[in-house]
Amino acid sequence: GGGAPRLGPAPAAAPAAGGVGLTPLVQTVKRAIVLLRTRTAEDGVVVIDRRKLAFSKAVLELSLVSSLQAEGGFAFSVVEAGADVTRENTQTLSVTLTPPRTGGVTPESVEDDARALADMIQAAAQELGEALKGDPPLGVSELSATLRFQVVSALGGKVGFKILGHGVSVGARGQEADVQKLTVTLSES
């Protein structure tokens, strides 16, 4: 019957209009994080003045659109690049992810988008590590970087990433409702 919308997971549904599936995006980010953690366990990501900074956590902040389902539940989707939505019409989901202490994935088992995301995080951290070396010495015990990106639909229900600043801009409309953020923290190990 009528009544209030049911809270909790909605039955499997198509992504809300203007969005891509939340699950494929989160799965890709999780694989990138596990790959990055596997790499840091092997050789560290950044060494600054003999201090080894290892990947410790990531905060994923997503801009979501929602739709009411016929069964009374809600469906949430990540706002796709170029979607016709405004910040006022979106919800924000923020989740802190920590990598497993042991185990991991092999680079061969990770799809290109997850590997590219892990590579970008690692390259940014290494470059910043190089920039912080030298005099005057700084005591760096933690490093955080926020990557801004857009998501696009791909074949087979997968998602692709468009990293902002890699020849990609938000556009003339001046809205950032379709921009997602991943803040990565490296801490002294």
Side-chain angles (χ1 to χ4, degrees):
R6 178 179 51 80
L7 296 178
V20 297
L22 182 61
T23 299
L25 174 64
V26 171
Q27 292 295 327
T28 300
V29 170
K30 283 173 40 179
R31 284 189 285 278
I33 288 169
V34 171
L35 177 60
L36 189 58
R37 177 63 181 142
T38 300
R39 289 176 181 172
T40 63
E42 294 171 2
D43 61 0
V45 170
V46 179
V47 177
I48 302 173
D49 293 330
R50 295 176 300 278
R51 292 182 180 180
K52 182 178 176 182
L53 300 181
F55 175 69
S56 59
K57 70 177 180 178
V59 177
L60 181 61
E61 185 177 311
L62 301 174
S63 182
L64 306 175
V65 290
S66 63
S67 63
L68 186 60
Q69 300 298 296
E71 301 81 22
F74 291 96
F76 291 96
S77 301
V78 180
V79 177
E80 186 170 11
D84 188 22
V85 297
T86 63
R87 179 60 71 191
E88 293 79 25
N89 296 337
T90 63
Q91 308 298 323
T92 301
L93 171 71
S94 181
V95 60
T96 300
L97 306 167
T98 55
R101 296 260 181 234
T102 59
V105 296
T106 60
E108 300 80 34
S109 69
V110 177
E111 71 272 1
D112 289 341
D113 282 333
R115 186 178 307 108
L117 188 57
D119 290 347
M120 184 172 192
I121 293 166
Q122 190 169 5
Q126 287 173 332
E127 188 166 331
L128 184 56
E130 287 297 315
L132 292 173
K133 288 181 179 178
D135 289 328
L138 295 175
V140 179
S141 60
E142 185 174 278
L143 180 152
S144 290
T146 300
L147 302 175
R148 296 166 24 126
F149 62 95
Q150 295 173 309
V151 294
V152 292
S153 297
L155 294 175
K158 294 184 179 186
V159 296
F161 295 93
K162 291 168 50 176
I163 305 294
L164 296 179
H166 259 263
V168 176
S169 63
V170 174
R173 68 181 192 275
Q175 297 183 37
E176 292 199 9
D178 61 353
V179 175
Q180 316 306 323
K181 297 177 187 173
L182 178 64
T183 302
V184 177
T185 301
L186 305 170
S187 300
E188 194 169 7
S189 56

